[in-house]
Amino acid sequence: MNKEIKKILLVLAFASLSSGMMYGFQKLWMQENNLTVATIGTVFSICSLLSVSVIFLCSNIINQTKLKKFELGIMVIKLVCITSLFFLNNSGHNILIKFLIMIDYILDVEIYTCIYPMLTLINKNDKLYARKDLIYKFLYYFAFLIAGFILGKKIFNIKINYNFFVFASALSLLIAIIILIKTNLEQYYGKIKSKKDKQLLIELVSKLKGDKISIFYLIAHITGLISYYSILGLLAIIFINYFNFSTSSYSLFNTLMGILAVIIGSIILEKLTFKNDYLNVFVKFGGRVVIYLLAFIINNKVVYLLAFIYTLFFAESYVHIIDAPYINRYEGKYQLAFCNLKEMCGYLGRSIGVYLCGLLFTINIRMNFAVAFIFCLINLVFRYLDINLRKKEENDRK
């Protein structure tokens, strides 16, 4: 594997460790700072919504030759935000805390969004796109697992609490920044045209008007994430408050499910992908449709738990089928723009899903599964339509 690719993946690895420690218990950290469940849900819904605007703005500011500098800049700002949150813990300055959490979240979205376009400066393929996701998720859950084990203990007379993980997150991010500084992407800029594309994303959107494949993909992406986050948007709070999990048992469950999902995703990527894409998509989303409907009809805690488990089990699988082919239809500058457009749509869906999750959970968790079923069914229909169109396009090119 190319040396610079390894460095970028190492940057991703330490950024992932940072996120795992920061976000694994962040909602509980917020509760310790006297923020209510409804407020927490609203904050993260706003975070996702604001991410859409920021991604749009960034798409029209940066191009591939500026990616490294841009990534470094936002990582440094994120480091300042995390460090500030560490010192603001239990200070009572909740307005400032909520503001910094929103800024941190938005920056984290853009940091992750820029990773694959940096990789494609060197190499581009569907499996690399999937491996990038698997590396991020594995180390995210690994950090979460370690955090769960040491929570509440003392190390060198330092009490390990939620705020300790904020500090550890900042340290890991600092290491990622140092590695990125040492990464040499400039040698790959020669093949990129120097033309400035100030309205690149707008230009891409205008091109999408006749591209049903991309339109159906983005609709499926949005509805899929609305479905996912309408039941998983406030997972820690649901498991601790509804299923009566302790903090440590929730941490262990979520981490094991996350690591298992990465392992299953890796096995499917390398060995168990079906030749029939319709079947691949059904395993991931069709199973969700069935079990969400059963959860709503049966209205039982055990079925609810099984629905969560099924969703988490395949959460990291089939990325090379459901995402990568649609990203890799684009070349160069348009791929960066489409990556950003995809993230904009994704965080719009996430924003809606998280908001619905908090709203519906306060009414009845059964309603969460009703909404998840409806949006997942829409997602499945558009996935199938898209596969059909993409197969026709591939046959026409032969």
Side-chain angles (χ1 to χ4, degrees), residues 128-373:
L128 180 59
Y129 183 91
R131 287 193 186 105
K132 173 260 303 179
D133 278 359
L134 292 171
I135 289 170
Y136 180 86
K137 291 295 184 179
F138 177 80
L139 291 169
Y140 180 97
Y141 286 113
F142 176 76
F144 191 27
L145 178 64
I146 298 301
F149 276 126
I150 66 175
L151 180 64
K153 296 180 174 59
K154 281 190 175 183
I155 300 178
F156 303 116
N157 292 322
I158 298 175
K159 180 69 177 294
I160 307 301
N161 54 20
Y162 298 139
N163 202 45
F164 174 85
F165 300 134
V166 179
F167 172 79
S169 173
L171 184 61
S172 183
L173 184 62
L174 178 61
I175 296 172
I177 291 171
I178 293 170
I179 296 171
L180 184 57
I181 291 171
K182 300 286 186 180
T183 303
N184 180 13
L185 293 180
E186 289 77 7
Q187 60 184 304
Y188 300 100
Y189 290 167
K191 61 183 181 181
I192 300 173
K193 295 179 180 179
S194 59
K195 178 185 174 182
K196 294 184 179 180
D197 297 291
K198 293 297 184 182
Q199 301 298 321
L200 181 57
L201 189 58
I202 296 174
E203 182 183 338
L204 174 66
V205 170
S206 67
K207 289 179 177 292
L208 289 180
K209 291 179 181 178
D211 184 2
K212 286 186 178 180
I213 294 177
S214 293
I215 292 171
F216 286 0
Y217 166 71
L218 293 173
I219 293 172
H221 188 57
I222 292 171
T223 53
L225 286 173
I226 292 174
S227 172
Y228 184 89
Y229 282 100
S230 64
I231 62 169
L232 294 173
L234 299 173
L235 190 63
I237 291 172
I238 290 174
F239 267 66
I240 291 170
N241 294 350
Y242 182 77
F243 290 105
N244 297 319
F245 276 47
S246 65
T247 302
S248 59
S249 60
Y250 162 73
S251 171
L252 180 61
F253 169 82
N254 194 38
T255 305
L256 289 178
M257 285 304 304
I259 292 175
L260 182 60
V262 171
I263 293 171
I264 295 300
S266 300
I267 294 172
I268 288 173
L269 174 66
E270 300 296 339
K271 303 291 183 182
L272 292 179
T273 301
F274 298 109
K275 291 183 179 180
N276 187 323
D277 282 350
Y278 295 99
L279 185 55
N280 291 320
V281 168
F282 185 82
V283 171
K284 187 174 179 77
F285 296 115
R288 291 184 189 179
V289 168
V290 173
I291 200 164
Y292 292 167
L293 181 59
L294 288 174
F296 174 73
I297 293 172
I298 298 173
N299 190 25
N300 178 275
K301 275 192 175 184
V302 174
V303 183
Y304 291 159
L305 189 59
L306 289 174
F308 282 114
I309 290 172
Y310 187 90
T311 304
L312 292 169
F313 189 81
F314 290 109
E316 310 309 326
S317 300
Y318 300 109
V319 173
H320 60 301
I321 300 296
I322 66 170
D323 289 321
Y326 304 97
I327 300 293
N328 287 332
R329 287 178 72 237
Y330 292 89
E331 300 287 343
K333 62 182 183 179
Y334 289 113
Q335 186 180 73
L336 174 60
F338 191 75
C339 280
N340 278 290
L341 180 60
K342 176 238 181 187
E343 293 300 323
M344 286 169 60
C345 292
Y347 278 94
L348 175 61
R350 183 170 181 161
S351 172
I352 296 169
V354 171
Y355 176 76
L356 289 173
C357 184
L359 177 66
L360 297 171
F361 180 63
T362 59
I363 300 170
N364 189 323
I365 193 174
R366 187 181 184 190
M367 299 306 298
N368 291 74
F369 286 97
V371 170
F373 163 74

